[in-house]
Amino acid sequence: GLSYTWVFNNKTLYVQEDSRRFVSQETGNLYIAKVEPSDVGNYTCVVTNSKAKQSVQGPPTPLTLRSDGVMGEYEPKIEVRFPETTYAAKGSSVKLECFALGK
């Protein structure tokens, strides 16, 4: 019964309306593709337990852009966690996701 929401600069981030952002409802991780200057600010994760009807808010995490073009300590990598076998009914749609991770 946990769900995850992110707050950006004290406003709820509606990722359903944004094709560059994704919130994993499994881990709570926020993924941002093609970071832009408008993404700079403070991000706060809010975890809600629907059964207990309670929410907990984490500390704000600042996002800044580097102007020197130098990568951080972690190189980006592609992470793929596909199941070994994926079954689908004939004529149905299947969506497989992978993410580029890094700082």
Side-chain angles (χ1 to χ4, degrees):
L2 296 180
S3 64
Y4 304 92
T5 305
W6 281 85
V7 175
F8 173 60
N9 291 336
N10 298 318
K11 294 181 183 175
T12 300
L13 189 62
Y14 294 103
V15 295
Q16 300 89 339
E17 301 169 8
D18 187 342
S19 60
R20 293 186 313 109
R21 297 178 182 150
F22 170 77
V23 175
S24 169
Q25 289 302 312
E26 185 175 316
T27 64
N29 292 347
L30 169 65
Y31 299 92
I32 304 173
K34 300 178 185 174
V35 174
E36 298 175 355
S38 61
D39 296 319
V40 170
N42 287 312
Y43 290 82
T44 304
C45 183
V46 179
V47 181
T48 302
N49 183 327
S50 59
K51 291 183 181 179
K53 297 181 181 175
Q54 290 185 327
S55 294
V56 175
Q57 183 169 314
T61 301
L63 175 76
T64 57
L65 292 180
R66 294 186 67 136
S67 59
D68 59 12
V70 176
M71 288 298 299
E73 64 182 276
Y74 299 105
E75 293 287 329
K77 65 176 183 171
I78 301 296
E79 185 172 301
V80 180
R81 294 184 186 165
F82 296 144
E84 196 166 307
T85 305
T86 302
Y87 296 96
K90 184 177 180 179
S92 66
S93 297
V94 176
K95 181 177 180 181
L96 300 174
E97 298 177 319
C98 63
F99 298 96
L101 304 175
K103 290 188 175 183

